[in-house]
Each structure stands twice: as structure tokens, then as C-alpha cells.
Amino acid sequence: MREMIRTVGLAKSFVLHNQGGVRLDVLRGVDLSVAAGEFLALTGPSGAGKSTLLRTIYANYRPSAGHILVRHEGTVVDMAAADPRLVIEVRRRTMGYVSQFLRVIPRVAARDVAAEPLRALGVAPAEARRRAEEMLARVAIPERLWPLAPATFSGGEQQRVNIARGFVAEYPILLLDEPTASLDADNAARVAGLIDEARARGAAIVGIVHDDALRRRLATRRFDVSRKEPIAA
């Protein structure tokens, strides 16, 4: 299988300037790889650095040391050293990210929020909206809500809009930070179906899933962030 992500000696520390300059070493020497069609589930106790690892791979955080090698359109990009324009291009075309919370511009309709990744890829507005509406329907967002701003939605509805936005562009790499945390069993099953489809088309997925049964159903491998080692799925 083609390798899509590799981290080498990845480390991330935070300095708490408002607490006397205390240094927190959250990630130290993380070496992992993810191939096309895999779902690598990040495990470990609360505070182990699972979300920090995802955000560092996505280049929201700059690592303190190490490399983040991502396959992007036939080349390999080190997200730890890439300039901001290249990081944006990788995010636009190659690497999607679904966070725990939806952050959007106020008064933008849900269908336009979900369509935004397609518009960024140059998809025509009408086609982007059509595909976004299909994805909203798949995550059980009622049609009457499509023209409304997600700020008016429940937490679970907002998260499903977030998921629709993350999956609509069919990125080769997906980073998922507890995508089903605020969802009931039926909606979590819908999201699991989207994840299965993404893997089947060859997406490389790194995710945090706290529900044990769902993680066992989805993950092809696990990586214990606290122990810095892969373990059986």
C-alpha cells in the first residue's frame, strides 16, 4: 500500500508563559506511518496528546522537532517545514480535517458551509451546492435546515454539518478528531459508513474515536500516543 503520512521523531512542547515559563512536553519522538486505505486510531489516556498530534500533522501547531511527511499530488511535503502557501495548498487538495466543533462565518447557510471545500477546488457553484446537499442528506440534516446558518442548530446538527464539510471533497487524507462524540447511535453509524467509503476509495485516515465498539469496527490499526507505539486493532 502507498504510504500517505509518515512522522519521524515528531515532538511538540508548549511553554506556559503565564505560569512562570513551565514547559510541557506533550509529544516526544513520535514515529508513525499511515498508508492509503488505512484507518489509524490514536489511543491513550486523556492528556496523552492525541488531539495535539492531529493538529500538528495538519500544521495548526508547528512541531518542536521532527518531520511530517505527507504525499501531495505526486510529491512528498514536509508539513513541519513547508511555507504557509504550500500548507494551504495541501489542505485545499489533499488533507481534510474534522474537528470536534464547527467554526463558521455567521449567517452562512449550512449548504454553503458544506460546499466550501468544493468551491476551493474550483468546482462550479451549482455542482458544489448539489454535492453538498447530497452529503447533508446523508448525515440526516433535514432539507429545511440547508438554507439556515448552523449557528442556530443543535450541537449534534452542527457536528453533522462539520462532517459533511469534511467528507464532501473526498480528500486523499482525513484527520478526524472525535467526529462522533456528540452524535447518537444512528448518526454515528451514518458517519461510520462515510469512513468506510473513504477507506474503500483509498483515503488514509488518522482519527480519535473514544467509543470502544466503534473504534474496533473502524480501525485497521491503533497507535498508543502515550507509549509511542503501534498496537493491534
Side-chain angles (χ1 to χ4, degrees), residues 169-192:
E170 299 188 352
Y171 294 108
I173 296 171
L174 280 168
L175 308 178
L176 308 177
D177 191 350
E178 297 189 59
T180 62
S182 60
L183 304 184
D184 59 29
D186 287 343
N187 283 310
R190 291 186 176 94
V191 175

Side-chain angles (χ1 to χ4, degrees), residues 32-35 38-42 215 218-223 230-233:
L32 62 78
S33 66
V34 190
E38 286 193 307
F39 185 134
L40 182 68
L42 303 181
R215 183 175 61 243
L218 291 171
T220 57
R221 290 188 297 128
R222 289 187 289 161
F223 185 90
I231 52 181

Side-chain angles (χ1 to χ4, degrees), residues 39 96-98 114 117-118 131 135 138-139 159-171 174-176 179 190-199 201 203 205:
F39 185 134
Y97 182 92
V98 178
L118 295 173
R131 289 165 61 181
M135 187 60 70
R138 290 203 60 188
V139 295
Q159 183 60 1
R160 285 172 3 239
V161 173
N162 201 21
I163 290 162
R165 183 182 184 279
F167 280 83
V168 73
E170 299 188 352
Y171 294 108
L174 280 168
L175 308 178
L176 308 177
R190 291 186 176 94
V191 175
L194 293 175
I195 292 171
D196 287 339
E197 291 176 16
R199 280 192 53 229
R201 69 171 182 264
I205 304 172

